[in-house]
Amino acid sequence: PPSGVSLSAQPPEGRVALGDLLVLSCSVAAGTGPLSFSWHRGGSAVPLGTGPRLELHVGHGDSDRYQCRVSDGDSAAESPPLHVTVL
């Protein structure tokens, strides 16, 4: 099963100016087989996107917590949440 899922942001710490580009990257310390990535905001089950990177031009409503979920088809692991602040 996937493990050690972590999340990084550019700009660092998820502090981004209104209208600027936020890039979130997801990495996995361990996992075998084809891995699928999905991005979630505020605990929603509906994915914002797929793949190991998510790029957003942030708006007023985008301050929230974001998480990456990684699945190998049988099991899944989530990153710790990252709180994004739109300045």
Side-chain angles (χ1 to χ4, degrees):
S3 63
V5 180
S6 62
L7 182 53
S8 62
Q10 198 59 256
E13 299 171 19
R15 297 174 59 84
V16 59
L18 182 67
D20 279 0
L21 182 66
L22 171 69
V23 179
L24 300 177
S25 300
C26 188
S27 60
V28 183
T32 58
L35 299 175
S36 63
F37 296 82
S38 61
W39 292 92
H40 303 270
R41 179 172 70 196
S44 170
V46 178
L48 288 173
T50 58
R53 282 168 53 101
L54 179 69
E55 296 185 6
L56 293 173
H57 286 279
V58 297
H60 288 289
D62 289 328
S63 288
D64 209 331
R65 60 185 177 86
Y66 291 76
Q67 277 183 292
C68 172
R69 181 177 297 146
V70 181
S71 172
D72 64 3
D74 294 322
S75 57
E78 291 185 346
S79 69
L82 173 77
H83 195 84
V84 170
T85 303
V86 178
L87 305 174

